[in-house]
Amino acid sequence: MSIVRRGVVVSGEYSGWKILVADDRDGDTGGYYLYLKRSDTEGFDCWFEREAELQTQLADFEVKWIG
């Protein structure tokens, strides 16, 4: 699994949370993971079978992408 994008949510309910997108198409699950993390103890992830589903979810966030 490789991290393909990193950023920070800049508005809304998850403002200030770190966001990571991981590509696991060649891994155990196939598909993509979206990780949201506020701290070492608070965060969650979502799994998407297709990139289009991931992009639909990402449209709900305003993100400042890093790198």
Side-chain angles (χ1 to χ4, degrees):
M1 183 174 351
S2 64
I3 303 298
V4 292
R5 290 189 95 179
R6 297 174 190 267
V8 176
V9 179
V10 295
S11 67
E13 179 180 357
Y14 298 103
S15 183
W17 288 45
K18 294 178 184 176
I19 189 167
L20 301 168
V21 177
D23 182 343
D24 195 40
R25 289 177 294 170
D26 294 330
D28 293 334
T29 65
Y32 300 87
Y33 282 97
L34 173 66
Y35 297 98
L36 284 163
K37 183 177 176 181
R38 182 175 183 179
S39 66
D40 288 341
T41 59
E42 187 174 8
F44 63 91
D45 64 79
C46 302
W47 176 80
F48 302 93
E49 184 175 4
R50 294 177 184 84
E51 186 176 359
E53 297 165 338
L54 169 65
Q55 294 301 331
T56 298
Q57 181 64 56
L58 285 173
D60 290 343
F61 299 104
E62 184 179 349
V63 179
K64 178 181 177 185
W65 295 107
I66 300 167

